[in-house]
Amino acid sequence: MNLFPHTQTHLQSWLIRILRILRKALYPSVKTTLWLLRIMLPVSLLVTILQYFGVIAWIAQYLNPVFQYMGLPGASAIAFVTGASVTTYACLAVMLSMQLTMREATIIAIMVLICHALPMECAVVKRVGSNPWRMAALRIGAAFLAAFYLNAVLPDMPQPFSMQPTMAGGETTIMQLAEQWAWSSLRLSLMIFGIIYALMVIQRVFERLGIMTLLTRPLRPLMRFFGLPENSSYLWLVGNVLGISYGSAAMIDLEERGQITREEANEVNYHLIMNHSMLEDTLVFATAGVSALWILSTRMLFAFLLVWGRRGVKWLKK
């Protein structure tokens, strides 16, 4: 005899709902993952080849005179161009091969955190509805403005920038490079699918339990402060914790289900291009000694100025 028939029925009902959510989240997760990989993998391969043949270093030499006016050695242009075209990790690897003070490393780090992985991330925001060329121009301009700002306000930091040294290997052949790219791309693909699928499931569970509303309400004053739509709290959280690519995946899912308009997603993107992936990006450089306070405060400042500046221009046009 079952003493708790209602409890058993309730558990079965919840199990059915969870399985339904898992099933419904699978298709959009696969679809979004394939879309991201179609953008990320060709761009990643192209930039890897350009790095191997020295094209990025060749481009960087023309930026040397400009960097000297921002309190940076001319050679640091290589680190910036590498980060802007690839990732923060690639930039950090270049920085560790240079003799930099902590002050110089702080300026380069924040420049790259504002303006990194441009080919990939601009292609991603285009899918959401934002103008990729405008976003790229804004990020590049903001990176240089941030460097001039930091050069004016940062105190002297004479201590050297360093981490545990990496093991130096021999010269990499093109076949070894291709193999490294293939394995890293496979790991990246699996990681992207796992994160996106988890996001889709969490998003639907939150909606069913009413947690989305609970998250949105306390963050509404912060959204208003940043000049963003009040219902953009979840997108803001995803973008700030996981980054533009995963934030855009969440935006696309909400757009397709009619829960956020394309214009609202575009508004959030203007904030996120300055201020995203705050956890991972900050930790990458903080572990090397760069001040997390300077990283967070500078990126939030430029996100605030960009969104409100854009709103001011639109108001003046009216």
Side-chain angles (χ1 to χ4, degrees):
M1 180 178 178
N2 189 351
L3 299 177
F4 306 101
H6 297 294
T7 303
Q8 185 176 2
T9 303
H10 187 69
L11 288 173
Q12 288 175 343
S13 175
W14 267 106
L15 181 60
I16 291 170
R17 291 177 185 176
I18 291 171
L19 290 173
R20 189 178 295 136
I21 288 172
L22 292 173
R23 188 181 69 251
K24 286 185 176 180
L26 185 60
Y27 174 73
S29 300
V30 172
K31 179 182 174 183
T32 304
T33 299
L34 292 175
W35 162 67
L36 277 175
L37 292 177
R38 280 199 298 269
I39 296 170
M40 296 170 73
L41 294 184
V43 170
S44 171
L45 179 60
L46 175 62
V47 173
T48 300
I49 293 170
L50 292 178
Q51 274 187 306
Y52 180 81
F53 287 105
V55 176
I56 289 177
W58 176 76
I59 294 171
Q61 68 181 330
Y62 292 99
L63 292 173
N64 287 353
V66 179
F67 276 66
Q68 292 171 358
Y69 287 102
M70 300 184 295
L72 296 172
S76 62
I78 298 174
F80 173 73
V81 173
T82 301
S85 56
V86 199
T87 64
T88 52
Y89 295 99
C91 170
L92 182 59
V94 174
M95 290 170 64
L96 291 172
S97 68
M98 304 168 62
Q99 292 183 341
L100 300 169
T101 65
M102 190 57 71
R103 187 178 193 274
E104 292 167 343
T106 301
I107 295 174
I108 299 170
I110 294 174
M111 285 184 73
V112 170
L113 289 176
I114 289 175
C115 178
H116 62 264
L118 284 180
M120 180 181 70
E121 292 190 348
C122 287
V124 168
V125 297
K126 179 183 179 182
R127 176 67 175 81
V128 181
S130 300
N131 186 311
W133 299 105
R134 184 180 303 155
M135 293 296 186
L138 286 170
R139 292 181 71 177
I140 293 170
F144 282 88
L145 286 175
F148 284 110
Y149 159 73
L150 290 167
N151 190 36
V153 301
L154 273 178
D156 188 31
M157 302 176 187
Q159 64 269 35
F161 171 74
S162 64
M163 280 179 63
Q164 293 295 324
T166 55
M167 295 298 293
E171 186 176 349
T172 306
T173 66
I174 192 70
M175 290 303 296
Q176 289 173 326
L177 191 71
E179 185 179 351
Q180 292 170 6
W181 176 83
W183 279 111
S184 64
S185 297
L186 178 60
R187 290 194 297 269
L188 177 68
S189 302
L190 294 173
M191 183 188 73
I192 287 174
F193 172 74
I195 291 175
I196 289 178
Y197 185 57
L199 273 175
M200 298 293 182
V201 171
I202 290 170
Q203 194 169 294
R204 283 160 173 76
V205 170
F206 278 11
E207 287 171 2
R208 183 168 289 274
L209 296 177
I211 296 175
M212 290 287 284
T213 305
L214 295 177
L215 280 175
T216 301
R217 284 177 181 168
L219 287 174
R220 280 179 181 173
L222 184 62
M223 295 301 100
R224 287 196 295 269
F225 174 76
F226 280 128
L228 300 174
E230 290 187 357
N231 64 339
S232 63
S233 302
Y234 179 75
L235 300 179
W236 184 87
L237 280 172
V238 172
N240 272 274
V241 174
L242 296 176
I244 282 182
S245 297
Y246 301 117
S248 295
M251 286 184 197
I252 292 168
D253 184 51
L254 291 175
E255 277 185 22
E256 289 178 347
R257 292 191 288 139
Q259 296 191 16
I260 188 170
T261 67
R262 175 154 287 207
E263 178 57 30
E264 288 172 333
N266 185 47
E267 291 286 339
V268 178
N269 269 337
Y270 276 92
H271 176 96
L272 291 181
I273 59 171
M274 298 289 115
N275 190 44
H276 63 269
S277 191
M278 298 297 279
L279 180 62
E280 180 184 4
D281 285 353
T282 304
L283 285 175
V284 167
F285 287 101
T287 53
V290 177
S291 168
L293 178 62
W294 279 108
I295 291 173
L296 295 171
S297 62
T298 305
R299 295 183 77 186
M300 287 182 182
L301 171 65
F302 275 79
F304 178 88
L305 292 175
L306 176 59
V307 173
W308 280 106
R310 181 171 178 266
R311 291 186 66 173
V313 169
K314 288 171 69 175
W315 181 81
L316 287 174
K317 286 182 178 179
K318 290 181 180 180

